[in-house]
Amino acid sequence: MDNPTPKELTEFLQQYPVRKLKKGWPVLYQGEVPRSAYVVKKGIIKVYDINANGEEKVITFTDTDGFLPVEWLFKKSPVSQYYCDAFTDAELYAVPRQNLVEALEASKDMLAFTLHRYINLYVGATLHISALEQTKAAEKLLRILQWLSLRFGQEIRPGVFKIDIRLTHQDLAHMIGMTRETTAVELGKLRKQKIINYQNQRYILSAEKMRQVLGEDEL
């Protein structure tokens, strides 16, 4: 779970215009030179790539207070390296890059918040890579659900986590490089084993049963 948003960041962002997007609307195109940095006020943004076969590959999701595009904001790339679309209805602050960087550098609380957030994203990225490296479809799914649980999960009762984001079978397939059909079959198997449950595109995980399958001490 992320640290609470610093009051300084909230007050800083309120002076900038807000861009409202419907689900599916583009924020940035791969290779685009952004006109400004974006900070998510509300909603979830999907960051993804498209391979040579035209297949979508999800890189990550960015939610409230997330920065876009990170690589351009911190001068690691002259352009946006990925496509960014609104995964849900969303609102974004449009902030001049230099203004945002200077504000972060001037505030210890804002820097600490940013560091904590991107440590979480780094951990999530390693879990995503681990999911892609698995040879068995079920383990791919469990690893990606583990990542989503850490990123968006809420403990609804002891040891049981609900992923608070709607995900279709195709969304999950895009994250781990499987077909939608294979993903649906493997999800059904995990459901029968009572490792996961899902309804209305929301997933619930048993931490204990997931630990047993993955051979880990904790979720």
Side-chain angles (χ1 to χ4, degrees):
M1 182 180 294
D2 290 337
N3 284 343
T5 305
K7 183 180 179 182
E8 287 175 276
L9 179 57
T10 301
E11 292 177 348
F12 167 77
L13 292 172
Q14 287 174 349
Q15 64 185 301
Y16 294 102
V18 174
R19 179 180 173 187
K20 296 184 178 181
L21 302 102
K22 295 291 186 182
K23 179 179 179 179
W25 285 14
V27 179
L28 293 163
Y29 294 99
Q30 189 176 61
E32 178 181 349
V33 179
R35 296 181 181 180
S36 66
Y38 294 104
V39 183
V40 181
K41 179 182 180 183
K42 184 187 301 184
I44 297 173
I45 305 299
K46 178 175 66 176
V47 181
Y48 66 100
D49 195 8
I50 297 176
N51 66 18
N53 296 322
E55 298 168 335
E56 181 182 300
K57 302 297 179 184
V58 174
I59 304 300
T60 191
F61 293 102
T62 299
D63 59 354
T64 304
D65 298 323
F67 303 145
L68 292 167
V70 175
E71 65 279 6
W72 176 82
L73 173 62
F74 295 110
K75 298 185 178 180
K76 301 302 180 183
S77 172
V79 298
S80 175
Q81 291 185 314
Y82 303 108
Y83 297 95
C84 301
D85 290 354
F87 190 70
T88 66
D89 289 352
E91 297 181 8
L92 309 177
Y93 292 105
V95 185
R97 174 167 65 179
Q98 193 61 31
N99 293 19
L100 180 55
V101 171
E102 288 177 356
L104 293 174
E105 291 176 344
S107 168
K108 182 175 70 175
D109 288 344
M110 287 167 65
L111 272 180
F113 173 79
T114 302
L115 175 62
H116 180 85
R117 181 179 183 89
Y118 284 99
I119 288 174
N120 283 350
L121 291 176
Y122 169 78
V123 172
T126 61
L127 288 171
H128 196 171
I129 291 169
S130 177
L132 293 170
E133 289 178 337
Q134 302 305 311
T135 56
K136 295 181 179 178
E139 291 186 4
K140 284 179 179 288
L141 271 172
L142 286 173
R143 292 287 182 184
I144 207 67
L145 290 169
Q146 182 185 35
W147 167 57
L148 290 165
S149 179
L150 288 170
R151 188 71 182 84
F152 299 104
Q154 295 183 352
E155 191 168 18
I156 57 176
R157 55 183 181 274
V160 178
F161 295 83
K162 180 180 180 180
I163 298 172
D164 195 22
I165 174 175
R166 291 183 181 277
L167 295 160
T168 66
H169 292 174
Q170 188 65 70
D171 291 328
L172 290 171
H174 282 159
M175 292 182 208
I176 51 180
M178 298 197 313
T179 65
R180 183 190 62 77
E181 292 78 10
T182 299
T183 300
V185 168
E186 293 300 327
L187 283 170
K189 292 178 182 178
L190 293 173
R191 190 180 203 176
K192 287 181 179 178
Q193 294 173 293
K194 298 185 178 180
I195 297 170
I196 68 169
N197 197 4
Y198 50 91
Q199 187 175 11
N200 297 327
Q201 299 177 352
R202 294 187 186 274
Y203 294 79
I204 296 173
L205 317 177
S206 166
E208 178 63 29
K209 291 182 179 178
M210 182 175 283
R211 286 198 297 267
Q212 292 173 1
V213 174
L214 294 176
E216 298 179 346
D217 292 331
E218 56 184 78
L219 181 62

